[in-house]
Amino acid sequence: QVQVVESGGGLVQAGGSLRLSCTASGTSFSIDHTDWYRQPPGKQREWVAGMPGTGVTSVTGRFTVSRDNAKSTMNLKIDSLKPEDTGTYYCNVRGLRNIRGTIYPFDIWGQGTQVTVLA
């Protein structure tokens, strides 16, 4: 099966930058799209940025998504951090997996990584 793990969260000062990583592991799979979401404390999960599997870099405001093919890792860089960026950040990966010659779609979420921005 395919697994997704986020990393890179932590405690940071406002105005700084942070890079989160999302690593997919498994056998015989390809990635169609990766999205980053976040869930602020007490609020609903919201979309932050995303990129198709064929992309290299995608910029949405202060958020840059980039891909490291060799490591099946998708990164999210957040610039000019604000206290309102605080929350749990999740990676969602969608793609295809080959199981004994049959192609199956998958849609997997990571467990999340916590980001806390201090004013």
Side-chain angles (χ1 to χ4, degrees), residues 13-16 62 78-86 116-118:
Q13 293 287 339
R62 298 183 292 113
I78 311 171
D79 293 315
S80 304
L81 281 158
K82 305 175 181 180
E84 50 264 43
D85 291 321
T86 293
T116 303
V117 183
L118 303 175

Side-chain angles (χ1 to χ4, degrees), residues 15-20 36 38 48 62-65 75-82 85 89 115 117:
S17 297
L18 189 67
R19 190 179 80 164
L20 308 178
W36 283 92
R38 69 184 179 190
V48 172
R62 298 183 292 113
F63 303 93
T64 301
V65 181
N75 302 306
L76 173 69
K77 185 172 181 285
I78 311 171
D79 293 315
S80 304
L81 281 158
K82 305 175 181 180
D85 291 321
Y89 283 71
V115 172
V117 183

Side-chain angles (χ1 to χ4, degrees):
Q1 64 185 35
V2 179
Q3 294 183 324
V4 171
V5 177
E6 300 99 334
S7 61
L11 199 64
V12 293
Q13 293 287 339
S17 297
L18 189 67
R19 190 179 80 164
L20 308 178
S21 295
C22 168
T23 300
S25 62
T27 58
S28 303
F29 72 95
S30 61
I31 295 173
D32 290 337
H33 204 93
T34 301
D35 288 287
W36 283 92
Y37 291 78
R38 69 184 179 190
Q39 186 163 15
K43 297 183 179 181
Q44 290 187 333
R45 193 173 298 188
E46 60 187 15
W47 182 85
V48 172
M51 185 171 69
T54 55
V56 176
T57 302
S58 176
V59 180
T60 305
R62 298 183 292 113
F63 303 93
T64 301
V65 181
S66 62
R67 185 166 55 104
D68 182 340
N69 272 338
K71 300 179 181 179
S72 294
T73 297
M74 286 66 66
N75 302 306
L76 173 69
K77 185 172 181 285
I78 311 171
D79 293 315
S80 304
L81 281 158
K82 305 175 181 180
E84 50 264 43
D85 291 321
T86 293
T88 304
Y89 283 71
Y90 298 91
C91 177
N92 173 243
V93 179
R94 302 189 300 279
L96 300 173
R97 188 178 174 214
N98 185 330
I99 303 176
R100 293 187 292 277
T102 301
I103 305 299
Y104 296 91
F106 67 84
D107 184 336
I108 294 177
W109 291 83
Q111 83 292 346
T113 185
Q114 177 66 35
V115 172
T116 303
V117 183
L118 303 175

